[in-house]
């Protein structure tokens, strides 16, 4: 695959790709784009630096239509605060010309500003499991409208012992949703 043209992307996403300097999709991006866009569950495995985040966010952003709802429609779970911050910045750069609200939730900081931000609403929520679980249990965050769940670094999440939080979060989500797991 020689260029992103094969994906028939919206003009805002095409413009972001040009700004980012991406010329052609990596193998993980090429192989997962149509599957993720179709709504099927996906497990992707690729080395660090191969564009996994772009592999799942590009089709996600392509299929995400404008909405004024407060509750998130896409939930991205990652193992660390640093990864949440990095992911939010990356997603914002991918969605530079798209009207999408991206929010990060993580521990180790005062939770009040994050609670306030959750109340304002988001389309894409990137979070670590612990703080996300706490916000959901306290009813500050409603997960009922999440129709796409992404677990990035799923192997690390399980190695770090997040199985209880992950299972509890799964039970708070609607049963019919797309599940995307990358490692």
């Amino acid at each position: 695959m020689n260029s992103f043209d094969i994906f028939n992307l919206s003009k805002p996403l095409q413009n972001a790709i040009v700004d980012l300097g991406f010329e052609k999709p990596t193998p993980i991006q090429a192989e997962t784009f149509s599957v993720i866009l179709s709504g099927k569950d996906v497990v992707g495995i690729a080395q660090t630096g191969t564009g996994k985040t772009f592999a799942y966010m590009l089709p996600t952003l392509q299929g995400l239509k404008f909405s004024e709802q407060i509750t998130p429609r896409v939930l991205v779970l990652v193992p660390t605060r640093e990864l949440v911050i990095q992911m939010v910045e990356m997603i914002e750069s991918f969605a530079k010309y798209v009207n999408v609200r991206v929010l990060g939730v993580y521990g180790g900081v005062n939770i009040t500003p994050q609670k306030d931000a959750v109340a304002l609403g988001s389309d894409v929520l990137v979070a670590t499991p612990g703080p996300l679980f706490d916000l959901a249990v306290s009813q500050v965050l409603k997960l009922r409208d999440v129709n796409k769940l992404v677990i990035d670094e799923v192997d690390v999440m399980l190695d770090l012992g997040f199985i209880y939080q992950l299972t509890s979060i799964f039970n708070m989500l609607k049963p019919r949703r797309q599940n995307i797991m990358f490692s």
Side-chain angles (χ1 to χ4, degrees):
M1 187 170 300
N2 293 332
S3 79
F4 287 96
D5 294 341
I6 193 77
F7 294 151
N8 196 25
L9 297 169
S10 66
K11 194 66 171 166
L13 289 176
Q14 290 176 22
N15 291 339
I17 288 171
V18 169
D19 287 356
L20 293 166
F22 297 159
E23 295 180 9
K24 64 180 187 176
T26 64
I28 190 74
Q29 294 163 355
E31 291 175 27
T32 59
F33 183 87
S34 62
V35 179
I36 292 171
L37 192 61
S38 76
K40 293 180 182 174
D41 291 348
V42 175
V43 174
I45 300 171
Q47 292 181 333
T48 300
T50 56
K52 292 186 298 290
T53 303
F54 200 54
Y56 61 76
M57 282 313 302
L58 187 61
T60 296
L61 292 170
Q62 176 74 8
L64 196 62
K65 305 302 178 210
F66 174 78
S67 173
E68 292 182 1
Q69 76 184 46
I70 300 298
T71 55
R73 295 175 285 153
V74 178
L75 175 60
V76 181
L77 294 173
V78 296
T80 67
R81 169 181 50 197
E82 294 77 19
L83 203 47
V84 169
I85 294 167
Q86 177 185 352
M87 293 290 230
V88 167
E89 289 174 1
M90 290 172 71
I91 295 167
E92 286 173 341
S93 71
F94 303 156
K96 181 176 180 179
Y97 302 108
V98 181
N99 192 359
V100 173
R101 299 163 297 165
V102 182
L103 176 63
V105 171
Y106 49 87
V109 296
N110 182 348
I111 196 73
T112 302
Q114 292 182 44
K115 285 181 179 181
D116 295 343
V118 165
L120 293 175
S122 67
D123 298 302
V124 178
L125 180 64
V126 183
T128 54
L132 176 80
F133 178 72
D134 293 343
L135 289 172
V137 167
S138 67
Q139 300 291 312
V140 170
L141 175 64
K142 308 266 191 275
L143 298 174
R144 68 180 176 271
D145 294 321
V146 170
N147 53 36
K148 193 174 300 268
L149 170 66
V150 178
I151 304 177
D152 202 345
E153 304 292 345
V154 68
D155 55 331
V156 175
M157 296 270 243
L158 296 175
D159 287 346
L160 292 174
F162 285 123
I163 190 70
Y164 170 75
Q165 289 96 339
L166 290 174
T167 305
S168 298
I169 290 165
F170 296 160
N171 290 332
M172 294 177 192
L173 299 169
K174 65 182 174 183
R176 291 200 172 158
R177 64 180 182 272
Q178 182 179 21
N179 297 297
I180 303 167
M181 292 185 216
F182 271 75
S183 178

